Amino acid sequence: MKIFSRLLLPAFDPLKLAVLGICAWAALLGSCSQTPITVQLHAMQSSGRVSFVCHGADNSPSGHKLDECPDYELATRHTLALVTQTATNEVAVVDLYAQSIVDFDKTTPGYSFLRVGARPGAIVTTPGGAATFVAVSGLQKDGIFALPTTCVVPPLAGEVARDLTTWSACHLSSAPGDMSVVLDANDAQGHPILPGQEGSAPRVSCPNALPLKPTSPKLVDACPADLTQERGPFGRRKLLVALPDEHKLVLLDAQHLLDQQPGEFPECEPEATFALGEDAPTIPLAPVLPMDLTPAAGADTNTCIKPSYPARDTRVPPTPAGMAAMDDRVYVADSSRPVVHVLDVTDPCASKELPPLLPYSYSAPDRVVTTSRLAVSPLSPPSKKWPNGQQFVYAIDQDDQPTASVMVFDIIRMAEHPKDANYRTPLVFDGTARQPYMPPDRLRFNAPVRDVSFVMRDFPKPDPVTGAGQFGLSCEPDPNASGPATGYRPNGDFTDGARPVNLRGVFGFAMLTNGQVAVIDVEDFDAPCRRPATANMSTAFEDLHGCGGDEISTPFKTAQGALTVTGESSCHVVEPHRPRSASLSISSSSNGLRAPTLRSFPQFSNVNPAGVISVDQQPRMLATDFANPGNTSATLPAEVNISTQLYAHCTIEQLNAKQPPCDGNATPLVIDPGETGVQNSLTLPLVEPRSYAQDESPTLSFEGRVFPDRSSGFLSVEDGVTEAVLRDPDANFCAAGVEDSDTIRARGEGLGIPSSNLDAWAKEHADYVQITGDYPAPDDQYWRQGRGNGCAALIDPSKPDVDDRDACVRKFGNIDTPGVLKESRDLSILAASGGELSVTPRHCQGETDCAGTLSQLSCCFPAGTAYTVRASNQWMLAGTGALHDLAIGPGGRCTHTASCDRRKQYFNSRAFEVCDPSRPPDTHKETYLENGVEKEVDVTDFTCAATEPQVGCVGDQIPVTPGGPASACIFENLTSRFVVYRGVKPSLRGMTFSWQTTGGFVPQTMSLLSQSSSVNPQSLGYLSQLGYLAVVDASTLGLVLFDLNSLGVVLPSPYF
Amino acid sequence: MRPLSLLAALSVLLLNSCYSPGDGKAPPLEELYFPTGLALDGLAKSDDGKGGPKYLYVVNSDFDLQYRAASVISYDLDRLREVVPRNCNATADCGPGGGICDAPGVAGIPDDPTRVPSYFCVDPGTTAPCPFGERDEADLVLTPGRCKSIDPLSPLKKLLVDSVGIGAFATDVIWRAKPKADSNPKADSKHQSRLFIPVRGDSTLHWIDLDSSDGYPNGDGHFSCGQNGSDDDRCNEQHRSGDSTSDNPDQLLQPPEPYAVDATADGGFVAVTNQTSGNVSLYANDWSDRGPKLASILNGLPQTPVAIAAVPPAAVASGELPEEAGFLVAYRSASQVDLLRVHTDPFTGPSGVSYTRDGLRPAGSAPINANSLGFDSRGIAIDDAQRQKDYAACRAAQCGPPNTSTECVTQLTQCLRAAHQPAVYVASRAPASLLVGAMTADLSATGTNDLPSFTDTVPLTFGPSRVILGEVRVPGTADSVLSDDAGPYELERRVFVVCFDSRRIFVYDPQRRVIDSIVSTGRGPYALAIDGARGLAYLGHFTDSYLGVISLDQRFPKTYATIVASIGAPKSPRSSK
């Protein structure tokens, strides 16, 4: 069917009509016999890269500048896409105006393209469109092929066929890598020629080069190409070609290459060679850190070492990889040396290598970072915030794990600090502490990044007064302002002005290997209008929406009540060098649930049937007010969206003030556990929408699992000792977040537990191992011949003849009900390291009992057994937001790292209960004999007092308020904020609060997967004249065009 | 279903499930017949002293059930080298007495414009490129390679050394040498090396010891598996493991459809995936004459595990951490790679009975998210060469006896942890691609978690099936250690991906990160063995039952990555005749 559609396209052809007729007849015949099978034919195979050419027949077929295409009036100029075919050593041509793939030989079945001498790699077109150059590689076939635009269309009647002998070419000494066109605008004396300077022409060849061998007149000049006559920027066209195996770049004269005899393959004649010698500094460097990543005040300077980038081994030869050119600079990635080379090509013959960009990794400073491809952004227009404009280089860190990522280099910042090499390292972004899924100095996605590109675009709105539009105006949100910049504000229904799909500004595009193209905010001109309506003038702190430093104090509304901004949930919806949001961060009936929102109030459940309790006796999970940094005597109301309804805890005073959210639109939110009918609740911090996944179902469980069951725990027990070692080398306990008695002790200090009680408190709160595995099968030889033969005797020496497995079952229970296993399977963790846990029985009494229990456990659970680790006497948050700051410390033990590693400052997944001291202690009755008389006495199990080891916080004031008593037990992490109040009865393992959130961050992407599930994209290209982003796919799609106005695929692409 | 149909179906089922070596026609043992596995002998070296393997072992599969069994064949590669055309650019490349080069303009080569140069060293008398004649042009479409096939049974240059019968539907073969310094008293086998072959027909792991003899202490190419000298000369029951509950303590049986196989470098553990179920079998091979024993079956994995590779052990300075063997497994039906660890639990019981439980357990999983779909993996390979070089450099530059100070050990530890991670390659069909990655670095003592991160995906044509690591010859310099008549050369690492459906082998250069070349093959390319020392590769063509010999010497661009010879006459499958 695809073939038919192509045959029907504008270029009428009698032959095609005939073919169409035959096909139609055949189809008709076929339809009479059986169900027709639709076969998608693919003309393209293993497509690689693309270049665009403007080809016209109006005044010359020799090519035009791309901005002269298409010619809608006469339709004589067509934009052609030249796509390399790496499996067939061809260059395919797609006529974007005719919307068809060009077949160069209609006499042979299938599509024929432009044949080149070997496997095509890089492809570039001169600025005036006169010729395209293709780098090819193969044993003894390395070289450059020149494709004059006059011959990138099928031959007319009488012309010779396009084949290998059509092209001029030259042979290189090794396989070419990437390639770029640079302009030599100097005269014979090496002086720059200004455009329009009369009587001056750029020099033909470089002054210090060997003279180029004169070319003989072509025997047949079927494909003329004169680059000296092409339009476009002034200067002689040169090709800067990377030779990776020779660790250098060479400069070739493009016209000289075009002048070679077609069909021959003479040696290329480099006019200049650049050895890429500029090295990385040999001294250590340090990243320039934003404020929120500098180590916390009071952090241990012995362990908190400022991140440092080590000096690099400069003996590794450079290997030029991808290239990106902008004005008089060419940036060259390096796939072996940790630098990005910067060449000043003002004089291409004497290109100077400038100090390089220095790829490093903040997360792994010792790793040698090499790069594959890169892109350089256009210089953005000057603005109030950026008077010099902004310009960035994006470079792909090709070996980053788990996926290849993108580094950002700030060119302007480097220019402002020319002597400071630290500014040549990758940009470390502000606000990364709230973006746990993105490294501080990288753009990382769920699949490796293969290519990057930039786009700068605007649709200037005419000034109402002058009628002229100005490029690059930022949206003006100030309700009191006027002028053309106010015209970019969003309208009421978000069909115009600032909004996610409106790409106005500088944007990056990262093409992933899995077929997604991510849109990256670089400098969104509309960003000032993408924010909440509330304002916060303070520069000292951000409000709960992440706003601060506003120039107005009143909400962003006009006098008529119309918003001048989008009213989104956060001031960080648009952030530079971060994926762009796919939707407005607003939860409303018209917009849907697109801001972080609870679907309903949290629900309490209890899997333990022994712990069934009435609602009024249950523990409570409740929202709590926010601190008010501007006024410590007051608080900011707790607020949360539940579905489309806003709930807020407002005081009478706040309601009277009628400021959002207490302006009458919110439903009251009850946060006092003592109030009748109070519903469990929490608030969702709105500072950074990127903290949230799109949809989440978190749970908060008492003594919840730290990680799911593992099946390979080996318990090593020595006779007579009370401690054992549980080994599982692949478990990585620290990365899993296991807390031993030392790390939990640090939490106790944070909660204000008196030092005299800390040991006991840590013992009660350290994580514990729960053996969840079953015993070897009854017929396992272990019970007959192995150590299992003695388990019964170990468990009860008085009954050694009992079946050993049965004895184990009686002692440690079965696993029929996994939610309720015997406590005798629990082992407290004394010390945790990467693959080992030092443990002791959790409920034993005295050394003999503890040592005996360990021996019994070891006997009953031989070899690798299933187990998990649970938190003790605390609530454990599970879900994507449940992050922790534990890592392997210097001595191999697990340790907290948040004080040193500020990226983890908001990581938390453990909540400690607040108890009410006004409640009577927990007791149970015990009987004893006194003088032969049985008496009953109350035994106290728990008292809400600071000396009680099980206590998290004593709630002297309930509800808990920020800064007040027990405020240390306010749980807050990136995605939730609440307090857990102890119930009337003690909390039991398995009690759970569960809730659902939605409206998390969804990145804006363009996807090839809508066209085919089997894709393997290779490269990106931007056709600014049409506003198309081109993606070349090697698998099934060939060339796909995306319209940046709609972010959808431009039909009838893909062309395959 | 009607009773008769039901009976027929059951009969077919029973026939299929109960392979009996006594039924049907005996296989032609010396004939290539749907070859599925190739292995080179790493111990027995070539007679020329250049370090190449002496023998090639070929496993046939009897795929079309024409016979009651299949076979394993050994070929003498030294003899093969003598009949495979030598490549050249000029006569000097052929060496003294090596003939003249069939290239344009060479003295002695007829000046015939219709002559197509072969770039082979040819006899100056005949100047014929192919000693056995040239293949018909019509045949070249299905069977590339200019020369007619070499008859491996030819009395003049008899390539075949030995053959032996095995069960039908063998799927692969691996070769392992017995560790030299093995202190295991059970390692009582007098043989130096062993083949392991999963066989679907009887759901077993066959194992064959390789004989040695006077003059060939490292192996003479003959098999020893209790063969009985009958018409199918099959290996005896003792050389089939997994089919008896009595030979392992846990009374395990090999599940049906054993498929991919790999073993630890010392051959101590052999793991076999089971194609139709989500499990992997572990065999413990103590190098005794009792052979490998089924030790554990790990269930609960995703369906259709079809690719497996043993994880090379990471080094630690202190040696305190006992290395645990591991395997990476990839699946047709799941977009992930799993790490399975062998846990050994030796124990002596109170009654003095001692035994060891070797268990295979899941240790981690890495998603395949570099591809748009990610599932349908077909082959996996781990390249540890660079890390081993780094380790050697660390040990050379750091410390060792007598310098074993704490500081020195710390430095050595850091150096070892910073070594390159082993590269991991996976052939995937969704889409057709080669996934390129490396083991993931972490903060553990070894510096790796032995799970791959995939950072690139290289497009291929349809039907990739296997990934094989090997080396090709590239032009050397005056400093090169290696040289022959054609001058100096170096060996460079390559990754070979066999595309069964599209009849291609992609040669990926991991250093330059590009496809180096594409080999056009005959129908059904499947098993591949790389003989880097000879600059050749041997390719088993499954469909037409013959072997192709591929030139892997870049000094000869005209013949590089082409089939220069073939062994055995191509035979179309019966159904296509």
Side-chain angles (χ1 to χ4, degrees):
Chain A
M1 292 302 110
K2 192 79 190 168
I3 283 286
F4 288 166
S5 66
R6 289 195 183 121
L7 288 167
L8 286 169
L9 287 172
F12 174 80
D13 186 324
L15 181 61
K16 286 183 176 175
L17 195 63
V19 171
L20 182 63
I22 294 167
C23 291
W25 175 80
L28 198 64
L29 199 66
S31 65
C32 298
S33 55
Q34 54 184 312
T35 307
I37 299 170
T38 303
V39 178
Q40 286 210 320
L41 299 176
H42 288 249
M44 295 195 196
Q45 284 185 42
S46 301
S47 301
R49 303 183 79 164
V50 64
S51 188
F52 295 100
V53 172
C54 178
H55 179 275
D58 50 347
N59 51 10
S60 159
S62 59
H64 301 264
K65 292 191 299 175
L66 275 175
D67 57 11
E68 294 171 348
C69 261
D71 166 25
Y72 291 107
E73 291 180 357
L74 299 174
T76 54
R77 294 195 294 271
H78 293 191
T79 306
L80 306 179
L82 275 57
V83 185
T84 59
Q85 305 295 293
T86 60
T88 56
N89 299 349
E90 292 175 310
V91 175
V93 179
V94 180
D95 187 331
L96 299 184
Y97 184 81
Q99 301 181 339
S100 63
I101 299 175
V102 180
D103 184 4
F104 284 82
D105 184 1
K106 295 185 176 69
T107 61
T108 56
Y111 279 77
S112 300
F113 298 132
L114 305 175
R115 189 95 174 164
V116 290
R119 182 184 171 85
I123 182 168
V124 294
T125 301
T126 55
T132 298
F133 298 88
V134 186
V136 301
S137 54
L139 275 183
Q140 290 193 340
K141 296 173 183 172
D142 302 323
I144 310 279
F145 274 67
L147 277 51
T149 302
T150 47
C151 282
V152 295
V153 290
L156 300 173
E159 289 185 350
V160 294
R162 311 290 189 232
D163 60 20
L164 264 185
T165 63
T166 306
W167 318 118
S168 301
C170 74
H171 176 245
L172 286 165
S173 50
S174 64
D178 210 348
M179 190 166 52
S180 184
V181 175
V182 294
L183 305 176
D184 184 6
N186 297 283
D187 62 17
Q189 286 72 42
H191 301 137
I193 303 170
L194 298 176
Q197 206 168 355
E198 287 184 8
S200 295
R203 61 193 174 195
V204 173
S205 61
C206 290
N208 296 323
L210 292 172
L212 297 175
K213 291 176 187 164
T215 52
S216 54
K218 294 180 180 176
L219 301 174
V220 179
D221 196 6
C223 306
D226 187 352
L227 299 180
T228 62
Q229 299 301 312
E230 77 165 16
R231 294 203 285 176
F234 179 78
R236 185 154 180 107
R237 276 53 174 156
K238 304 283 183 184
L239 297 174
L240 192 60
V241 184
L243 298 180
D245 284 353
E246 298 181 57
H247 317 293
K248 66 184 183 185
L249 307 177
V250 293
L251 189 75
L252 304 175
D253 184 72
Q255 185 62 54
H256 186 69
L257 174 51
L258 280 164
D259 291 342
Q260 300 299 319
Q261 201 67 240
E264 295 185 357
F265 202 39
E267 292 297 321
C268 296
E269 298 177 58
E271 293 186 283
T273 299
F274 308 108
L276 298 177
E278 194 69 31
D279 291 326
T282 52
I283 55 168
L285 301 174
V288 182
L289 295 179
M291 281 301 292
D292 64 347
L293 286 188
T294 52
D300 183 356
T301 51
N302 290 323
T303 55
C304 296
I305 302 165
K306 192 179 176 188
S308 172
Y309 293 152
R312 292 301 188 205
D313 181 0
T314 57
R315 290 169 297 177
V316 180
T319 306
M323 281 187 198
M326 183 64 70
D327 302 326
D328 56 359
R329 294 281 189 278
V330 174
Y331 299 87
V332 185
D334 196 313
S335 61
S336 63
R337 190 182 277 193
V339 294
V340 170
H341 307 276
V342 185
L343 264 70
D344 179 348
V345 292
T346 310
D347 178 355
C349 297
S351 296
K352 285 180 293 191
E353 192 170 357
L354 304 176
L357 314 183
L358 303 170
Y360 278 97
S361 169
Y362 179 91
S363 304
D366 292 326
R367 184 167 66 87
V368 176
V369 178
T370 57
T371 48
S372 53
R373 292 190 193 172
L374 39 69
V376 56
S377 72
L379 182 66
S380 68
S383 62
K384 194 160 54 176
K385 192 173 180 183
W386 308 104
N388 297 323
Q390 294 198 94
Q391 190 172 34
F392 302 96
V393 167
Y394 279 11
I396 296 175
D397 176 357
Q398 58 183 356
D399 294 325
D400 194 11
Q401 292 182 327
T403 64
S405 59
V406 177
M407 295 170 286
V408 180
F409 297 91
D410 188 336
I411 302 300
I412 302 301
R413 191 177 66 152
M414 280 178 233
E416 291 167 353
H417 304 85
K419 304 282 187 192
D420 190 345
N422 293 328
Y423 284 90
R424 288 189 272 127
T425 62
L427 201 56
V428 181
F429 308 123
D430 198 7
T432 51
R434 291 188 178 275
Q435 300 172 20
Y437 311 114
M438 200 65 94
D441 61 342
R442 295 285 193 279
L443 279 150
R444 186 182 286 155
F445 304 90
N446 61 351
V449 181
R450 163 141 311 135
D451 203 356
V452 285
S453 182
F454 284 103
V455 166
M456 182 163 74
R457 60 204 302 266
D458 194 5
F459 327 101
K461 295 207 171 183
D463 187 317
V465 179
T466 65
Q470 183 182 344
F471 187 94
L473 270 185
S474 293
C475 182
E476 176 55 77
D478 186 345
N480 305 313
S482 61
T486 61
Y488 298 102
R489 294 171 181 169
N491 63 358
D493 56 3
F494 299 112
T495 55
D496 189 31
R499 62 197 194 281
V501 78
N502 201 37
L503 298 186
R504 207 175 65 83
V506 182
F507 300 92
F509 295 89
M511 188 188 72
L512 314 184
T513 57
N514 67 358
Q516 303 278 351
V517 180
V519 185
I520 300 160
D521 286 319
V522 178
E523 186 179 345
D524 182 357
F525 297 156
D526 289 331
C529 294
R530 299 281 307 274
R531 55 164 299 153
T534 53
N536 173 24
M537 293 187 72
S538 171
T539 54
F541 71 94
E542 290 184 336
D543 63 15
L544 59 105
H545 299 283
C547 303
D550 290 329
E551 293 178 354
I552 60 172
S553 60
T554 54
F556 287 88
K557 286 182 178 177
T558 62
Q560 293 74 34
L563 286 178
T564 60
V565 295
T566 51
E568 292 178 83
S569 67
S570 169
C571 274
H572 296 289
V573 168
V574 176
E575 286 196 67
H577 313 297
R578 287 299 184 223
R580 184 171 180 80
S581 170
S583 56
L584 291 162
S585 183
I586 297 171
S587 282
S588 67
S589 53
S590 58
N591 194 57
L593 303 180
R594 308 289 186 210
T597 301
L598 279 178
R599 287 199 180 274
S600 60
F601 287 106
Q603 299 297 308
F604 176 82
S605 61
N606 181 16
V607 295
N608 188 344
V612 172
I613 48 179
S614 60
V615 172
D616 59 329
Q617 293 179 321
Q618 291 171 0
R620 296 281 180 203
M621 172 192 182
L622 293 171
T624 187
D625 288 339
F626 293 92
N628 188 347
N631 178 7
T632 52
S633 62
T635 57
L636 296 173
E639 61 174 291
V640 64
N641 263 94
I642 298 179
S643 191
T644 56
Q645 178 60 50
L646 179 66
Y647 284 73
H649 172 246
C650 300
T651 62
I652 300 294
E653 294 77 20
Q654 288 166 333
L655 286 170
N656 290 337
K658 293 190 174 176
Q659 289 294 316
C662 301
D663 53 3
N665 291 322
T667 301
L669 179 68
V670 181
I671 64 170
D672 185 349
E675 286 198 33
T676 309
V678 61
Q679 299 208 66
N680 294 308
S681 62
L682 75 157
T683 56
L684 307 177
L686 297 172
V687 175
E688 175 53 84
R690 289 166 184 81
S691 303
Y692 296 84
Q694 183 177 7
D695 291 293
E696 297 184 70
S697 298
T699 58
L700 183 73
S701 300
F702 191 72
E703 299 200 345
R705 290 167 191 253
V706 176
F707 52 76
D709 274 12
R710 291 184 60 84
S711 61
S712 47
F714 286 79
L715 198 60
S716 300
V717 178
E718 292 181 15
D719 286 343
V721 298
T722 58
E723 294 180 18
V725 173
L726 185 120
R727 278 196 70 232
D728 188 351
D730 295 301
N732 205 346
F733 293 116
C734 302
V738 174
E739 296 226 18
D740 60 20
S741 54
D742 279 0
T743 54
I744 206 73
R745 184 186 170 94
R747 289 189 183 273
E749 290 169 353
L751 294 177
I753 303 298
S755 57
S756 57
N757 294 345
L758 265 177
D759 284 343
W761 189 91
K763 187 167 181 273
E764 284 292 328
H765 288 82
D767 291 350
Y768 64 90
V769 170
Q770 183 187 36
I771 306 286
T772 56
D774 204 354
Y775 313 97
D779 60 350
D780 195 298
Q781 66 162 351
Y782 177 76
W783 302 115
R784 301 189 307 275
Q785 297 180 318
R787 192 155 48 105
N789 200 13
C791 289
L794 273 176
I795 291 169
D796 187 350
S798 65
K799 298 177 181 173
D801 297 330
V802 172
D803 180 273
D804 296 288
R805 192 175 187 276
D806 289 346
C808 288
V809 173
R810 274 199 294 278
K811 171 77 179 184
F812 298 109
N814 58 38
I815 57 169
D816 296 344
T817 313
V820 191
L821 298 179
K822 271 194 159 185
E823 289 185 340
S824 53
R825 288 168 171 256
D826 299 347
L827 298 160
S828 289
I829 297 173
L830 304 171
S833 57
E836 291 186 355
L837 299 175
S838 175
V839 294
T840 190
R842 194 176 180 222
H843 299 289
C844 61
Q845 300 292 331
E847 286 190 10
T848 306
D849 182 27
C850 294
T853 304
L854 277 181
S855 296
Q856 294 159 10
L857 276 166
S858 173
C859 189
C860 293
F861 298 100
T865 186
Y867 71 99
T868 189
V869 168
R870 288 179 176 274
S872 175
N873 271 308
Q874 60 201 279
W875 293 79
M876 192 76 193
L877 183 66
T880 53
L883 301 164
H884 63 84
D885 72 330
L886 288 151
I888 295 180
R893 289 276 301 274
C894 301
T895 185
H896 290 290
T897 59
S899 61
C900 286
D901 188 348
R902 302 298 288 160
R903 288 174 296 176
K904 300 177 180 173
Q905 58 188 293
Y906 302 114
F907 290 6
N908 191 11
S909 56
R910 293 162 184 265
F912 297 89
E913 287 181 337
V914 175
C915 62
D916 184 351
S918 65
R919 283 187 175 160
D922 296 345
T923 59
H924 71 274
K925 301 282 186 190
E926 280 189 5
T927 56
Y928 69 101
L929 288 175
E930 188 178 276
N931 301 326
V933 179
E934 193 175 78
K935 290 195 171 181
E936 195 174 65
V937 68
D938 283 335
V939 176
T940 302
D941 296 319
F942 176 83
T943 306
C944 183
T947 53
E948 172 65 56
Q950 293 179 27
V951 160
C953 293
V954 176
D956 289 326
Q957 178 189 323
I958 289 178
V960 175
T961 54
S967 60
C969 279
I970 295 175
F971 176 89
E972 180 165 8
N973 70 359
L974 293 165
T975 55
S976 50
R977 189 172 192 272
F978 56 82
V979 174
V980 180
Y981 297 94
R982 190 177 192 270
V984 172
K985 290 194 172 183
S987 301
L988 297 176
R989 183 160 75 195
M991 287 182 170
T992 299
F993 297 99
S994 54
W995 64 98
Q996 290 181 305
T997 63
T998 189
F1001 188 79
V1002 179
Q1004 180 73 267
T1005 59
M1006 295 175 284
S1007 179
L1008 300 182
L1009 302 180
S1010 62
Q1011 306 297 310
S1012 168
S1013 60
S1014 182
V1015 296
N1016 198 331
Q1018 297 298 301
S1019 62
L1020 273 178
Y1022 179 51
L1023 189 55
S1024 59
Q1025 292 70 27
L1026 295 174
Y1028 291 169
L1029 193 73
V1031 179
V1032 181
D1033 176 52
S1035 185
T1036 55
L1037 295 182
L1039 178 68
V1040 187
L1041 301 173
F1042 287 97
D1043 185 349
L1044 294 185
N1045 293 320
S1046 64
L1047 302 181
V1049 172
V1050 181
L1051 296 176
S1053 89
Y1055 299 99
F1056 53 77
Chain B
M1 188 181 276
R2 290 180 179 177
L4 273 178
S5 307
L6 186 64
L7 184 64
L10 279 173
S11 303
V12 170
L13 195 65
L14 281 172
L15 278 174
N16 281 334
S17 60
C18 300
Y19 156 75
S20 167
D23 299 335
K25 210 164 104 181
L29 291 177
E30 300 178 342
E31 194 175 307
L32 290 163
Y33 203 72
F34 295 104
T36 52
L38 297 178
L40 293 167
D41 194 317
L43 210 55
K45 298 298 182 185
S46 64
D47 298 337
D48 62 10
K50 293 190 172 177
K54 171 79 171 165
Y55 302 107
L56 172 70
Y57 305 110
V58 186
V59 165
N60 296 304
S61 69
D62 184 30
F63 181 75
D64 63 354
L65 276 179
Q66 194 171 352
Y67 305 106
R68 68 183 180 216
S71 66
V72 185
I73 300 172
S74 65
Y75 287 133
D76 186 323
L77 294 177
D78 282 336
R79 292 180 192 161
L80 176 67
R81 191 69 195 90
E82 291 171 13
V83 289
V84 170
R86 292 181 181 275
N87 309 122
C88 60
N89 299 316
T91 296
D93 297 337
C94 301
I100 58 174
C101 186
D102 178 18
V106 169
I109 299 295
D111 187 16
D112 178 0
T114 63
R115 181 185 177 89
V116 179
S118 64
Y119 296 91
F120 293 161
C121 295
V122 298
D123 181 76
T126 65
T127 69
C130 301
F132 309 109
E134 296 197 33
R135 194 167 265 156
D136 287 345
E137 218 164 292
D139 292 338
L140 294 179
V141 177
L142 293 184
T143 52
R146 181 166 179 166
C147 299
K148 280 187 175 173
S149 296
I150 300 165
D151 179 2
L153 306 178
S154 160
L156 286 178
K157 292 288 181 188
K158 190 175 179 189
L159 306 182
L160 188 132
V161 178
D162 196 7
S163 63
V164 73
I166 58 169
F169 301 128
T171 55
D172 204 349
V173 59
I174 56 169
W175 173 95
R176 287 291 182 275
K178 187 171 77 171
K180 282 182 180 172
D182 200 330
S183 58
N184 183 356
K186 291 181 181 173
D188 55 7
S189 172
K190 65 178 181 181
H191 302 95
Q192 299 303 310
S193 58
R194 191 169 274 180
L195 297 176
F196 302 97
I197 304 162
V199 177
R200 289 164 62 190
D202 54 4
S203 297
T204 61
L205 179 72
H206 279 50
W207 56 280
I208 300 173
D209 280 325
L210 296 165
D211 276 342
S212 53
S213 56
D214 293 344
Y216 295 98
N218 291 323
D220 60 8
H222 287 84
F223 302 119
S224 174
C225 61
Q227 58 267 52
N228 56 9
S230 64
D231 52 357
D232 58 3
D233 205 23
R234 64 179 181 271
C235 296
N236 66 9
E237 288 182 358
Q238 284 70 43
H239 287 76
R240 280 175 278 173
S241 188
D243 58 350
S244 170
T245 55
S246 61
D247 67 359
N248 65 82
D250 291 331
Q251 302 179 3
L252 303 171
L253 276 178
Q254 167 67 43
E257 298 291 325
Y259 189 69
V261 62
D262 202 8
T264 52
D266 64 1
F269 293 104
V270 183
V272 178
T273 68
N274 299 293
Q275 188 180 205
T276 55
S277 57
N279 54 45
V280 175
S281 308
L282 178 75
Y283 290 83
N285 175 44
D286 60 6
W287 289 101
S288 72
D289 283 332
R290 292 173 297 284
K293 299 299 176 195
L294 183 56
S296 166
I297 298 171
L298 177 63
N299 298 299
L301 299 169
Q303 291 294 299
T304 57
V306 292
I308 191 163
V311 175
V316 288
S318 61
E320 289 171 357
L321 284 175
E323 275 303 324
E324 291 184 307
F327 295 89
L328 290 183
V329 180
Y331 308 87
R332 281 182 63 182
S333 59
S335 56
Q336 67 192 64
V337 174
D338 286 340
L339 171 64
L340 312 181
R341 286 274 192 220
V342 177
H343 289 285
T344 299
D345 193 24
F347 177 70
T348 302
S351 57
V353 176
S354 66
Y355 61 88
T356 299
R357 275 190 124 88
D358 297 309
L360 199 58
R361 296 176 190 281
S365 186
I368 296 176
N369 48 19
N371 271 348
S372 57
L373 293 172
F375 60 85
D376 208 355
S377 301
R378 295 301 179 112
I380 186 169
I382 304 171
D383 189 354
D384 196 34
Q386 184 59 49
R387 187 170 70 168
Q388 290 303 326
K389 286 181 189 169
D390 292 352
Y391 282 169
C394 287
R395 293 200 165 102
Q398 302 289 336
C399 55
N403 183 5
T404 54
S405 65
T406 307
E407 184 186 357
C408 187
V409 170
T410 304
Q411 287 176 358
L412 178 58
T413 301
Q414 290 173 348
C415 184
L416 294 174
R417 290 185 71 246
H420 279 86
Q421 297 288 329
V424 181
Y425 304 97
V426 174
S428 172
R429 291 191 174 187
S433 56
L434 173 68
L435 289 158
V436 181
M439 297 293 195
T440 311
D442 72 0
L443 298 174
S444 65
T446 56
T448 180
N449 68 5
D450 285 341
L451 278 167
S453 294
F454 294 104
T455 52
D456 200 2
T457 167
V458 182
L460 307 172
T461 53
F462 53 94
S465 53
R466 287 192 172 187
V467 187
I468 295 99
L469 303 172
E471 285 161 331
V472 301
R473 287 179 174 183
V474 298
T477 64
D479 298 332
S480 299
V481 176
L482 303 170
S483 71
D484 61 9
D485 291 331
Y489 63 90
E490 304 271 358
L491 296 177
E492 273 193 5
R493 201 68 162 164
R494 294 290 187 273
V495 182
F496 300 83
V497 190
V498 181
C499 289
F500 185 91
D501 298 356
S502 54
R503 297 174 49 194
R504 281 182 167 85
I505 297 172
F506 285 80
V507 186
Y508 176 74
D509 181 342
Q511 186 186 347
R512 297 174 183 83
R513 303 176 194 239
V514 294
I515 295 292
D516 166 284
S517 50
I518 302 171
V519 185
S520 294
T521 75
R523 295 195 295 181
Y526 193 67
L528 181 71
I530 310 299
D531 185 355
R534 291 186 178 85
L536 297 174
Y538 312 105
L539 171 66
H541 288 89
F542 176 84
T543 307
D544 291 333
S545 300
Y546 72 103
L547 301 187
V549 182
I550 301 165
S551 168
L552 295 180
D553 195 334
Q554 288 197 351
R555 294 175 300 170
F556 311 113
K558 301 289 185 187
T559 50
Y560 176 70
T562 62
I563 292 180
V564 292
S566 47
I567 305 169
K571 300 177 289 289
S572 299
R574 291 169 72 196
S575 58
S576 68
K577 282 181 179 174

